[in-house]
Amino acid sequence: MDRELTKEEISRNRRRLLLRICIPVGAVVALGAIGLSLARGSVNRRELFQGTVDTGSIESTIQASGKVVPGFEEIITSPIASRVVEIYGHAGEQVEAGTPLLRLDLEDTEAEINKQRDARQKQVYAIEQQELANATELTNLEMEIKVKEMAVNRLEAEVENEKRLDALGSGTGDRVREAELAYKTGVIQLEQLRSRLENERRMRDAAIKGQRLDLSISDRNLSTKLRTLESARLKSPRAATLTYIVNSLGQQVSAGEKVAVIADLTSFKVDAEISESNSRLLSAGGKASVKVAKNVYPGTVINVSPVANHGAVTFSVVFDDTTAVNLRSGLAADVFVVREVKDDVLRLPIGPYYSRGAGTYELFVERNPGEIEKMEVKLGDAGYNYVEVKSGLRPGDKVVLGDMSAYKGRKYRIKD
């Protein structure tokens, strides 16, 4: 026969039942927390490259690539087709203005100049002969005109005499008419001679001018040849470093072929190119920053090409400090052309995470000490050192700047 349980026994049975239920549930919860913790994983702080969000100014830039080149460089070319007969310098040497660099075989050029000089002298003699012939011919015509003038005067006097005789009854009208006809004929012949003289003067003056023009052309050609001959005695136009020179005696060189290069290696600039689509943002005199290795140098944009070549526009940047000691010719450079300066904006140090320009990114942020969490962040324009933060971050946030593409989770513990 069953007996009725006491209140203490009923309470004791309830406690046992609760323990049987709570212990397994607690174990499951604990195991779940441990599993979640293990699933979340961790990262060593020493492997994190972090930057802190703050407020400041940003130079909004467009990026271009370039190369450090000497501030001055001149290519010396051969003005003639010739042969190298002497070499006076070597690459790397310092040269002064007027220093001979090499000598070309100038025998053919000198022979051609002598030939041109002889031809010019013949032109001078021909002009002198023509001038003498002109003077003789024109003098003869002038004398002939004077003789004709006297003959016309005599015919005019005869007309007057015949008219007087006719008035006195001693002459006839026919004789008067004959005298007048002879006089008029003489006047016409005199005018013909005078017209001929004027035409001869003009024709002979034009001929002389043509000959003198030919002589002037010859003089210019000869002067050009003499300058070519002088420039063929190749010398350094200024004090600089000889960076290249042909090194083979007897080498044949063509007119216009490079034979030497001099450069000023104490100052530098950057020759760069940028996409044609961004070229409208370029202007001579604009500010730029040039990053070479880990150093950044301020500079100014110059020599913007007015035309594009293969979708790119070339330009140069001169350094504000042209003698920076860490620069040398041939170094690769990243050029950041400033297009706008923004003040008092939320900003984040730039890093590999900023890979596709302005837009939305997922970045790991440490807001809770010892933990990083992936957050959606909207970023704007960037300079060479900072990126504008549009939304998703606040001042003081520590953001992982390195490449975190290998981490697929949303939260990680930081191991110090």
Side-chain angles (χ1 to χ4, degrees), residues 71-107:
F72 163 82
E73 185 174 67
E74 182 172 344
I75 297 174
I76 300 172
T77 60
S78 173
I80 59 173
S82 185
R83 180 174 61 90
V84 178
V85 294
E86 285 190 57
I87 300 173
Y88 302 121
H90 298 87
E93 291 182 350
Q94 295 291 321
V95 293
E96 299 297 324
T99 300
L101 301 178
L102 51 84
R103 184 164 70 88
L104 302 176
D105 183 358
L106 305 179
E107 186 174 337

Side-chain angles (χ1 to χ4, degrees), residues 42-50 400-404 407 414-416:
S42 62
V43 61
N44 196 316
R45 187 179 292 277
R46 289 192 299 271
E47 298 176 358
L48 295 179
F49 174 43
Q50 291 179 294
V400 179
L401 307 181
D403 182 11
M404 296 290 286
Y407 293 84
I414 300 176
K415 295 188 297 183
D416 292 319

Side-chain angles (χ1 to χ4, degrees), residues 171-243:
T172 65
D174 290 340
R175 290 177 64 85
V176 172
R177 286 190 292 273
E178 288 177 1
E180 288 178 340
L181 180 60
Y183 170 69
K184 291 179 180 178
T185 303
V187 170
I188 292 173
Q189 291 174 343
L190 179 59
E191 289 301 320
Q192 286 178 334
L193 286 174
R194 286 172 176 167
S195 179
R196 178 184 168 191
L197 175 62
E198 185 62 27
N199 290 337
E200 283 289 337
R201 280 175 176 164
R202 290 179 178 177
M203 182 181 67
R204 293 175 184 275
D205 283 348
I208 288 295
K209 288 179 180 178
Q211 289 178 301
R212 290 192 180 280
L213 180 59
D214 290 339
L215 180 61
S216 177
I217 294 172
S218 297
D219 285 343
R220 288 197 295 270
N221 291 338
L222 180 59
S223 178
T224 300
K225 275 293 183 183
L226 289 171
R227 287 196 300 271
T228 300
L229 179 63
E230 181 60 29
S231 62
R233 299 183 175 97
L234 297 170
K235 301 176 182 179
S236 175
R238 59 179 288 174
T241 301
L242 186 63
T243 59

Side-chain angles (χ1 to χ4, degrees), residues 143-403:
M143 294 302 296
E144 188 175 345
I145 288 171
K146 288 181 180 179
V147 171
K148 195 64 178 178
E149 286 174 344
M150 289 187 290
V152 169
N153 291 336
R154 180 177 58 78
L155 290 172
E156 186 180 14
E158 289 180 357
V159 169
E160 293 299 323
N161 288 333
E162 289 296 333
K163 286 182 178 179
R164 280 197 302 271
L165 290 174
D166 185 49
L168 293 173
S170 300
T172 65
D174 290 340
R175 290 177 64 85
V176 172
R177 286 190 292 273
E178 288 177 1
E180 288 178 340
L181 180 60
Y183 170 69
K184 291 179 180 178
T185 303
V187 170
I188 292 173
Q189 291 174 343
L190 179 59
E191 289 301 320
Q192 286 178 334
L193 286 174
R194 286 172 176 167
S195 179
R196 178 184 168 191
L197 175 62
E198 185 62 27
N199 290 337
E200 283 289 337
R201 280 175 176 164
R202 290 179 178 177
M203 182 181 67
R204 293 175 184 275
D205 283 348
I208 288 295
K209 288 179 180 178
Q211 289 178 301
R212 290 192 180 280
L213 180 59
D214 290 339
L215 180 61
S216 177
I217 294 172
S218 297
D219 285 343
R220 288 197 295 270
N221 291 338
L222 180 59
S223 178
T224 300
K225 275 293 183 183
L226 289 171
R227 287 196 300 271
T228 300
L229 179 63
E230 181 60 29
S231 62
R233 299 183 175 97
L234 297 170
K235 301 176 182 179
S236 175
R238 59 179 288 174
T241 301
L242 186 63
T243 59
Y244 167 80
I245 191 168
V246 296
N247 56 7
S248 299
L249 287 174
Q251 178 177 335
Q252 294 289 334
V253 293
S254 306
E257 182 177 343
K258 180 176 74 174
V259 294
V261 179
I262 61 169
D264 180 4
L265 299 183
T266 62
S267 63
F268 300 93
K269 64 179 181 179
V270 170
D271 285 343
E273 64 177 20
I274 196 168
S275 169
E276 184 180 3
S277 60
N278 289 325
S279 62
R280 59 184 177 81
L281 302 173
L282 281 177
S283 62
K287 294 300 180 182
S289 296
V290 179
K291 188 175 183 181
V292 181
K294 295 182 179 180
N295 300 312
V296 178
Y297 306 91
T300 303
V301 175
I302 62 170
N303 300 337
V304 179
S305 173
V307 296
N309 185 19
H310 301 297
V313 171
T314 60
F315 65 100
S316 298
V317 175
V318 291
F319 295 103
D320 292 348
D321 179 8
T322 57
T323 59
V325 295
N326 292 325
L327 295 175
R328 59 184 176 84
S329 183
L331 290 175
D334 292 321
V335 181
F336 300 88
V337 180
V338 178
R339 63 176 182 177
E340 182 184 4
V341 177
K342 297 182 178 181
D343 296 318
D344 297 324
V345 296
L346 203 61
R347 64 185 187 177
L348 176 65
I350 199 165
Y353 66 88
Y354 192 75
S355 57
R356 58 181 186 277
T360 301
Y361 291 79
E362 288 189 334
L363 303 180
F364 281 97
V365 182
E366 182 182 2
R367 280 187 178 167
N368 300 320
E371 181 181 79
I372 57 173
E373 181 178 359
K374 187 180 290 186
M375 295 184 176
E376 189 174 275
V377 179
K378 187 176 181 181
L379 302 177
D381 293 331
Y384 69 90
N385 51 358
Y386 286 102
V387 179
E388 179 185 8
V389 177
K390 293 286 190 179
S391 63
L393 295 175
R394 58 196 184 197
D397 283 346
K398 291 183 178 181
V399 181
V400 179
L401 307 181
D403 182 11

Side-chain angles (χ1 to χ4, degrees), residues 132-150:
L132 288 173
N134 291 349
T136 301
E137 183 65 25
L138 294 175
T139 299
N140 289 339
L141 276 174
E142 288 170 352
M143 294 302 296
E144 188 175 345
I145 288 171
K146 288 181 180 179
V147 171
K148 195 64 178 178
E149 286 174 344
M150 289 187 290

